[in-house]
Amino acid sequence: MSAGTVPAGAPSAAVGAEAAHEVDAVLAGLRRHARQLVAEVAGPVRRVRLRSGDTVLEVEWHEAAAGQGAAATETGRAPDAPAVAPVARPPAPRPAPPAGRIEVRSPMVGTFYRAPEPGAAPFVTVGDLVRPGQVVGIVEAMKLMNEVTAERAGRVTEVLVDDGRPVEYDQPLVALDPA
């Protein structure tokens, strides 16, 4: 045997043990992220499926039975088998706006801005009269600025979201009294 050769079985055993350790570390990280995801998502999660090769993440929701816990559990399943998480309680329903009040809602998920740029005057403030089609804010999504406009005329009674805060689809942003 020459000085540069290694016995046939030696490196493969070391490489195999190292690869198995890396796979275990990846799976432990995926489980940790799955538990964190289940704790953060709104609504009852029925199933979380994770896969490392070609990266797959599936989250499935369903109606929750009252009183079930919200913590995710680790299972001894294979990486391509579904990991089932216990069901969380559904979020409380959104209360209806007061009678006669109009709400300008977010058209998408993103970040709400009250002004066209930092330091500029806000599009609207409490007491302003707005007309249909008037811009009342901006929602930034994926580096695109999307104008939020009032569908009806009214007087601004309340700005419901602070500047620079994340918003969900259909979340009320500005409250108006009909004009």
Side-chain angles (χ1 to χ4, degrees), residues 37 84 133 138 162 176:
L37 174 71
V84 179
I138 294 174
D162 292 332
L176 307 173

Side-chain angles (χ1 to χ4, degrees), residues 23-175:
V23 168
D24 288 344
V26 168
L27 289 175
L30 285 172
R31 282 190 215 99
R32 185 177 60 251
H33 289 301
R35 284 192 305 272
Q36 185 178 16
L37 174 71
V38 169
E40 291 178 2
V41 296
V45 175
R46 178 173 177 232
R47 181 186 325 238
V48 176
R49 180 174 182 255
L50 306 169
R51 176 177 281 175
S52 180
D54 292 329
T55 311
V56 173
L57 170 66
E58 295 176 11
V59 180
E60 185 178 325
W61 287 267
H62 70 86
E63 294 300 317
Q68 291 186 346
T73 59
E74 291 185 31
T75 63
R77 298 175 190 262
D80 60 339
V84 179
V87 178
R89 290 193 175 140
R94 180 181 296 149
R101 184 166 108 167
I102 301 166
E103 291 179 337
V104 179
R105 296 176 171 270
S106 177
M108 64 194 61
V109 174
T111 303
F112 178 68
Y113 295 105
R114 294 187 58 198
E117 60 187 31
F123 290 106
V124 295
T125 59
V126 174
D128 287 354
L129 190 60
V130 298
R131 65 188 184 289
Q134 181 175 339
V135 176
V136 298
I138 294 174
V139 174
E140 177 188 6
M142 296 173 52
K143 303 289 183 192
L144 296 174
M145 301 299 179
N146 303 281
E147 292 181 340
V148 179
T149 59
E151 292 180 10
R152 297 178 47 197
R155 185 166 305 278
V156 177
T157 58
E158 187 178 3
V159 178
L160 303 168
V161 178
D162 292 332
D163 192 52
R165 300 303 253 173
V167 293
E168 297 293 325
Y169 169 75
D170 204 35
Q171 178 178 344
L173 303 173
V174 177

